[in-house]
Amino acid sequence: MTSIGPVNALYPMPATLVGANVNGKPNFLAVAHVGILNHGTPQYLSIGLAKIHYTNKGILENKSFSICLPSEDLMVETDYCGIMTGKKTDKAALFDVFYGDLKTAPMIRQCPVSMELKLHDVLDFKTHDIFIGELAETYADDGVLTDGAVDMAKLRPLLFDRSFRDRGNACL
Ligand SMILES: Cc1cc2nc3c(=O)[nH]c(=O)nc-3n(C[C@H](O)[C@H](O)[C@H](O)COP(=O)(O)O)c2cc1C
């Protein structure tokens, strides 16, 4: 057995599109650092967002956000949402946006699965805000369901793996 240092060995992670209304308008960014905090009901999920991102302000303003799962068909759009900032670009224009029960968490009709979450807590890390959300509702296309459950083989998620980049200690 070889010690390789404090390396996060959990990659790959599914790339998601996180949505929030910022200044009254929907914005989306790509997020791979999503955590499952428990199982059961209520269910809590976390997202780790660098403090410089535009979306953080909107999550705090509305106390809600979404986590949408793009399929591989949305690779270009997901990449775009992961390199452009809503400070300068209307990224929501790429999508057909809809709202669910919470009314303030924008979701993407082109994503086969979207979850809306109520903000539960924020952990104030030095470089990142860790937003913890309580899952309020999940919306799924029938085409990605098997026996009523989301079937990842049908969804064909995009996977994100930065383990090679981490050798240079880069920080998202
Ligand atoms: C595949 C992918 C995954 C990403 N995951 C994260 C992440 O987990 N946390 C984060 O803070 N930024 C992540 N980013 C970077 C943000 O999506 C990116 O900086 C975005 O432009 C911020 O948008 P905003 O300023 O409109 O909020 C990721 C980018 C890509 C392409």
Side-chain angles (χ1 to χ4, degrees):
M1 193 63 80
T2 305
S3 298
I4 58 169
V7 168
N8 177 359
L10 292 177
Y11 291 113
M13 297 289 290
T16 72
L17 288 167
V18 165
N21 276 356
V22 191
N23 298 329
K25 290 190 181 154
N27 186 59
F28 296 96
L29 84 163
V31 174
H33 296 155
V34 176
I36 301 171
L37 301 189
N38 67 320
H39 69 268
T41 311
Q43 170 112 183
Y44 297 96
L45 304 178
S46 68
I47 52 171
L49 300 196
K51 282 183 186 285
I52 53 163
H53 294 333
Y54 183 63
T55 313
N56 303 34
K57 183 173 168 269
I59 296 176
L60 292 167
E61 268 172 14
N62 295 290
K63 307 222 173 317
S64 63
F65 60 96
S66 70
I67 303 176
C68 309
L69 291 178
S71 72
E72 59 188 23
D73 303 336
L74 286 181
M75 186 172 70
V76 171
E77 291 83 350
T78 303
D79 187 48
Y80 186 80
C81 289
I83 54 176
M84 303 300 284
T85 175
K87 284 174 205 159
K88 297 186 182 161
T89 320
D90 178 9
K91 293 185 271 183
L94 294 174
F95 304 116
D96 184 2
V97 175
F98 73 100
Y99 291 86
D101 295 345
L102 295 182
K103 312 282 186 219
T104 52
M107 292 174 279
I108 298 174
R109 229 174 264 287
Q110 288 92 333
C111 285
V113 172
S114 294
M115 298 176 277
E116 56 175 353
L117 299 99
K118 216 180 328 170
L119 184 63
H120 175 75
D121 211 346
V122 186
L123 302 183
D124 185 13
F125 283 18
K126 193 168 171 198
T127 55
H128 285 65
D129 293 320
I130 310 300
F131 294 107
I132 298 174
E134 178 183 335
L135 190 54
E137 189 54 78
T138 302
Y139 305 86
D141 286 347
D142 290 342
V144 300
L145 297 178
T146 299
D147 298 331
V150 175
D151 184 332
M152 280 295 164
K154 290 181 178 171
L155 190 145
R156 294 175 295 118
L158 289 165
L159 296 179
F160 175 76
D161 187 342
R162 59 167 292 151
S163 34
F164 289 97
R165 244 179 98 185
D166 279 340
R167 291 176 190 174
N169 278 329
C171 177
L172 262 177

